[in-house]
Amino acid sequence: MPLDERIAAFLTASADALPPASLAEMRAATETGLRRLQGEEEASGGVRDYTVVAADGHRIALRTYLPAGVNRANAQPAMLFAHGGGWCLGSLALYDRPCQALANATGRVILSVDYRLAPEYPFPQPLEDVYQALRWVAQRAPQLGIDAQRLAVGGDSAGGNLAAAVALLARDRGGPHIERQLLLYPALSREMATTSYCEFAEGHFLTRDAMVFCWQQYLAQRRDPGAEPLHAATLRGLPPATILSCEYDPLRDEAEQYAQRLREAGVSVRCERLPGMVHACIHMLGLTPAARRLFELAGE
């Protein structure tokens, strides 16, 4: 399909904007810029904050979003969610509206993790924070009102990377049990040599240069298969996956390659390409109605 016309108009209007001059400015611009695209708040069954104490004593914030109209008397299916932002951007507050929309679409309690950000905390700290949050949730499922046997992991972009990587960690460390993984346009390889990286290197919201910067913050100069799930030695024994790629996204091909590797490893996979969409479309419900398709497929 052609690039969504509303997204195309937005990209044209913002083409001459000056890039942020520092990481601090980039973080601030991300918070304000993406929030403007999100649209109205959705109905909620309730939002609550918790604290996970990491092994080193750091306090990891965890925010839960209940689907609208949820029956709290029953244990609910849930999803631990890692937000996007290149491992160095993003926050719980930025993802309030997308996480509530995801809760309503999936009928699951969404538990959003405020993992520590690079470069202050490079790999593997963000991943370990997400894993420790997963363990905390699984251990306290009854108190949280969720069903530990129906606990999924999910994330978008860098958060999709963390969700895929935490599924590998849970497999290799003997748990917790993960019912399914939802990977939304995930960043899975530092190679950046695919056809989609060449076709959409610039001019389609996420750029190749931005991904170079983000990988440098997260991994510095070293490579590690724990940070690049596409290059994991084996994908056998992982939970079933739903993977959504975006048609006009540099990360499109690696997401679809990961789906193929999972299939070859005997993992059940549903992989869908979002037509006309660009990276970060989880934030674009206020920009184009077509962004709703991401939530519909996640719900399915």
Side-chain angles (χ1 to χ4, degrees), residues 96-115:
D96 278 337
R97 292 182 185 182
C99 282
Q100 186 62 62
L102 194 59
N104 292 344
T106 62
R108 289 179 180 258
V109 177
I110 303 299
L111 304 104
S112 183
V113 186
D114 192 25
Y115 59 87

Side-chain angles (χ1 to χ4, degrees), residues 14-96:
S14 56
D16 295 331
L18 293 175
S22 66
L23 179 57
E25 288 187 11
M26 188 180 298
R27 286 172 170 165
T30 298
E31 295 289 320
T32 58
L34 290 181
R35 193 172 283 112
R36 291 193 189 105
L37 305 179
Q38 291 175 355
E40 299 299 319
E41 293 182 10
E42 294 197 6
S44 173
V47 178
R48 187 169 180 180
D49 289 335
Y50 297 90
T51 300
V52 178
V53 180
D56 62 1
H58 178 77
R59 298 170 68 84
I60 304 168
L62 186 71
R63 182 167 295 170
T64 66
Y65 306 81
L66 274 66
V70 68
N71 181 357
R72 300 191 188 204
N74 300 326
Q76 301 296 314
M79 181 188 301
L80 187 78
F81 187 85
H83 67 74
W87 306 279
C88 60
L89 310 168
S91 67
L92 291 187
L94 177 59
Y95 273 75
D96 278 337

Side-chain angles (χ1 to χ4, degrees), residues 62-263:
L62 186 71
R63 182 167 295 170
T64 66
Y65 306 81
L66 274 66
V70 68
N71 181 357
R72 300 191 188 204
N74 300 326
Q76 301 296 314
M79 181 188 301
L80 187 78
F81 187 85
H83 67 74
W87 306 279
C88 60
L89 310 168
S91 67
L92 291 187
L94 177 59
Y95 273 75
D96 278 337
R97 292 182 185 182
C99 282
Q100 186 62 62
L102 194 59
N104 292 344
T106 62
R108 289 179 180 258
V109 177
I110 303 299
L111 304 104
S112 183
V113 186
D114 192 25
Y115 59 87
R116 280 171 276 190
L117 300 179
E120 295 89 343
Y121 299 96
F123 174 82
Q125 193 62 67
L127 175 57
E128 291 292 344
D129 284 356
V130 175
Y131 180 70
Q132 291 189 49
L134 177 69
R135 291 187 60 199
W136 187 92
V137 170
Q139 291 166 358
R140 291 162 178 79
Q143 298 96 305
L144 296 170
I146 65 175
D147 182 352
Q149 294 306 305
R150 299 200 62 197
L151 177 58
V153 296
D156 73 311
S157 190
N161 168 287
L162 293 171
V166 86
L168 287 161
L169 276 189
R171 180 200 64 183
D172 295 343
R173 295 179 180 179
H177 168 76
I178 296 172
E179 183 188 27
R180 192 169 191 89
Q181 44 184 331
L182 174 66
L183 311 180
L184 306 175
Y185 43 86
L188 300 168
S189 170
R190 194 176 178 176
E191 289 185 353
M192 296 179 279
T194 61
T195 298
S196 60
Y197 255 107
C198 295
E199 291 181 351
F200 311 123
E202 56 185 30
H204 293 85
F205 199 72
L206 177 68
T207 67
R208 187 182 189 280
D209 287 347
M211 282 307 305
V212 169
F213 174 84
C214 291
W215 276 111
Q216 287 174 343
Q217 306 311 297
Y218 188 47
L219 269 183
Q221 299 303 314
R222 59 196 180 99
R223 301 285 296 272
D224 192 304
E228 300 176 77
L230 183 60
H231 306 301
T234 178
L235 302 182
R236 292 193 178 277
L238 289 174
T242 296
I243 300 176
L244 304 184
S245 65
C246 297
E247 186 173 6
Y248 294 89
D249 183 359
L251 304 185
R252 182 194 69 197
D253 290 353
E254 64 197 65
E256 295 172 5
Q257 289 169 6
Y258 194 62
Q260 184 58 35
R261 277 207 65 198
L262 285 168
R263 291 189 189 100

